[in-house]
Amino acid sequence: MIDISVVLTGRYFSMQHESLITIPNRYVFLGEIEQLLKRDPEQSLLLIDVVRFSDVSSSFGYEYGDKVLLEIANRIAFLFNDNAIFGRIGGDVFGLILSGGLQQNQLYDFYSHLIQHFKIPIQCNDHAFIADFNVGAASNPKNNSDINYFFSLAETALKQAKDNKFDNFQYAHNLTDNSSGRALAFKADITRALDQNELEIYFQPKIELNTLQIIGVECLLRWNHPLDGLIFPGALIEAAESYNMMNELGYWVLDQAFKSAAHLNSVGLRLKIAVNMSPSQLYDLKFANKLMKMAQKHQVELSQFELELTEDVALSNSILVKKQLSQVRALGATIAIDDFGKGYSNLAYLRDIEIDSIKIDKSFIMQIDESPVNRAIVEASKLIAEAANCELIAEGIESIQHLHILREIGVSSGQGFLFSKAIPINDFIELANKDITVGTSFVRENQLA
């Protein structure tokens, strides 16, 4: 017989559950939230949905599925042992109560920790599984004691996480039953973010894998939200696309990239700078002319820039895209295909569009040391890149094993957390000036150079 008081105080948390039945269920879990809100309304909640778990049960049977789900539950419980109270909301959805009114970026860190941990496969009998998750997060609004409102926030966030294009994480800080109201709020957010200088460009170095030198940098958008702190702007970008404001946002990013290039040049860091293009920019017939004016304004050369587009953009309107990209390349900029292989199998566009780089999607790199198929995909991508006279760039390099394998295959450049996450420009300059062979102390300790 389980002592429920032990479960609710979290002391049972460090034990291994022998059955899914022993995990606090929805009603026990909600009861605990209710008690916590009475003592301290500053609480945060994560709802964790196991992606496509029904495939396991339907393929191997429900008894086997329960074994895998129990292993997932125990690993989540162990992972957050000292920081949260754990429960099973139902089916393949779990909950974590975190003490404190945490901001979005803090809750995103919990999500990232979860995703990183579950890159280690789950072993069950003769099979291995990689678990992935949708996560909805919410912080209890100030002075709110209504458990239903708080829980509904997290449920709304989870629903949105399942629909997200950019990330499997979503945060909610207010609740509305009107989706158009939410979208209008985001439209106002875009306008305010641009007017109030809430947006910022972060920089992730691109590394020459054999010498470990910085040879370039990718510009990534971050949003300094007045309430939620620094966040990843996936929802902001989706709203910008839906309200035809992506051009305004995209040109702001480009202008900041040119401005940053001029600053980096002035401190002796002349690097190739990669910037993402939005589809709407490629439909703007003045795109090439605007690029040229930005280069003149900031006194930098367009040859210093690499413009990245995704495969779906390359396939969306081949005649217009080909014309626009041809004009951009004529001005000296280079073109890269981002997230190569992520969602499209039609590679015919590679025959029709002149490109300079292929950035293979990080999902193939992250498991390259465990999956022969992933390695084969990277090797095939290298052959395609060579045939197209392109550079192959690896994204998502996170371990020494990844680096060694990519070197063996002959991939010459890449980026990832092994070297550096995306950081503000001043931090990037400091990092580069310490030692141009970035990754440095970590790399040297492991004798990778």
Side-chain angles (χ1 to χ4, degrees):
M1 185 81 177
I2 298 170
D3 183 348
I4 293 297
S5 65
V6 172
V7 173
L8 295 184
T9 58
R11 284 176 285 140
Y12 182 72
F13 206 51
S14 60
M15 304 177 190
Q16 286 285 301
H17 295 283
E18 296 182 358
S19 167
L20 292 171
I21 297 173
T22 67
I23 301 172
N25 64 24
R26 181 187 182 96
Y27 302 104
V28 174
F29 188 70
L30 288 173
E32 177 64 3
I33 298 176
E34 190 169 28
Q35 293 303 312
L36 286 172
L37 293 184
K38 289 178 181 178
R39 297 196 297 269
D40 181 4
E42 289 197 354
Q43 304 292 332
S44 299
L45 176 61
L46 296 177
L47 295 183
I48 302 168
D49 166 67
V50 185
V51 174
R52 296 179 62 87
F53 182 75
S54 59
D55 290 353
V56 177
S57 296
S58 60
S59 298
F60 299 99
Y62 287 98
E63 184 177 347
Y64 183 87
D66 282 352
K67 288 181 180 179
V68 176
L69 195 61
L70 180 61
E71 174 66 18
I72 292 172
N74 278 326
R75 282 173 61 171
I76 295 173
F78 174 79
L79 192 61
F80 298 101
N81 183 26
D82 297 327
N83 299 301
I85 293 172
F86 178 64
R88 185 186 181 199
I89 308 306
D92 54 8
V93 179
F94 300 99
L96 291 171
I97 309 169
L98 306 163
S99 179
L102 303 178
Q103 294 184 339
Q104 177 170 346
N105 60 322
Q106 294 172 299
L107 292 170
Y108 191 91
D109 286 343
F110 280 92
Y111 163 74
S112 298
H113 188 41
L114 176 75
I115 296 301
Q116 291 294 323
H117 175 79
F118 274 91
K119 288 177 183 175
I120 301 170
I122 297 166
Q123 300 288 339
C124 190
N125 297 345
D126 296 328
H127 301 280
F129 303 91
I130 300 291
D132 196 9
F133 303 95
N134 295 307
V135 175
S139 296
N140 190 40
K142 189 175 182 181
N143 299 323
N144 176 60
S145 59
D146 184 348
I147 181 179
N148 292 321
Y149 184 84
F150 181 29
F151 195 77
S152 293
L153 278 177
E155 286 189 315
T156 299
L158 179 59
K159 182 178 183 298
Q160 292 169 3
K162 293 178 180 180
D163 296 334
N164 276 358
K165 299 178 189 175
F166 296 94
D167 209 339
N168 288 26
F169 173 89
Q170 183 66 48
Y171 174 80
H173 55 78
N174 56 51
L175 187 63
T176 174
D177 293 325
N178 190 337
S179 60
S180 63
R182 174 177 173 268
L184 286 170
F186 273 125
K187 183 179 181 181
D189 278 344
I190 299 169
T191 304
R192 189 198 67 244
L194 289 167
D195 291 343
Q196 300 298 321
N197 297 317
E198 294 174 11
L199 303 178
E200 185 178 0
I201 300 297
Y202 271 40
F203 300 83
Q204 185 173 38
K206 174 185 169 186
I207 306 298
E208 207 292 320
L209 298 185
N210 289 314
T211 64
L212 299 176
Q213 287 188 320
I214 301 176
I215 55 173
V217 64
E218 180 177 4
C219 296
L220 297 166
L221 181 63
R222 296 291 183 264
W223 182 17
N224 291 299
H225 194 281
L227 297 177
D228 303 325
L230 184 68
I231 61 175
F232 297 80
L236 190 72
I237 291 172
E238 287 188 7
E241 289 177 336
S242 65
Y243 274 93
N244 296 321
M245 296 180 71
M246 197 61 211
N247 246 7
E248 186 177 0
L249 189 61
Y251 281 121
W252 182 90
V253 171
L254 274 170
D255 189 67
Q256 291 299 305
F258 279 92
K259 180 180 178 181
S260 299
H263 182 51
L264 291 173
N265 290 347
S266 72
V267 297
L269 292 173
R270 184 178 176 81
L271 300 167
K272 192 79 170 182
I273 296 177
V275 189
N276 288 290
M277 278 188 296
S278 72
S280 59
Q281 287 172 313
L282 284 176
Y283 301 147
D284 179 0
L285 296 179
K286 296 180 180 179
F287 179 55
N289 188 50
K290 288 178 180 178
L291 282 178
M292 188 168 57
K293 287 183 177 180
M294 284 184 191
Q296 292 169 347
K297 171 186 172 183
H298 295 288
Q299 296 184 325
V300 294
E301 296 178 5
L302 271 170
S303 59
Q304 199 173 339
F305 286 85
E306 183 157 75
L307 304 181
E308 298 182 359
L309 66 155
T310 55
E311 289 182 282
D312 56 334
V313 177
L315 287 165
S316 60
N317 188 334
S318 60
I319 297 175
L320 181 56
V321 167
K322 185 176 180 180
K323 180 181 177 181
Q324 292 279 62
L325 296 183
S326 178
Q327 290 178 349
V328 169
R329 292 183 86 245
L331 292 173
T334 55
I335 303 297
I337 296 293
D338 197 15
D339 299 334
F340 182 74
K342 185 176 182 179
Y344 289 84
S345 57
N346 182 1
L347 300 179
Y349 69 87
L350 291 172
R351 296 196 305 260
D352 301 324
I353 297 176
E354 289 186 280
I355 57 174
D356 303 280
S357 301
I358 291 174
K359 299 186 74 173
I360 190 163
D361 186 65
K362 63 184 179 181
S363 62
F364 300 116
I365 306 302
M366 287 180 174
Q367 304 295 329
I368 196 171
D369 52 336
E370 301 167 0
S371 169
V373 174
N374 278 16
R375 176 166 181 150
I377 290 171
V378 175
E379 290 172 341
S381 299
K382 184 172 183 295
L383 291 174
I384 293 171
E386 289 173 349
N389 197 27
C390 291
E391 178 189 14
L392 184 65
I393 304 167
E395 296 185 292
I397 304 172
E398 297 190 354
S399 73
I400 300 168
Q401 290 77 16
H402 295 166
L403 178 60
H404 283 321
I405 293 170
L406 290 168
R407 282 173 165 177
E408 289 174 7
I409 294 172
V411 178
S412 61
S413 60
Q415 59 196 72
F417 283 5
L418 175 64
F419 310 110
S420 174
K421 63 181 180 180
I423 52 180
I425 188 167
N426 289 335
D427 293 341
F428 174 77
I429 292 170
E430 182 181 355
L431 177 68
N433 283 334
K434 281 180 180 177
D435 191 338
I436 200 65
T437 52
V438 84
T440 64
S441 60
F442 179 85
V443 170
R444 285 175 176 166
E445 285 169 10
N446 292 279
Q447 298 181 338
L448 294 180

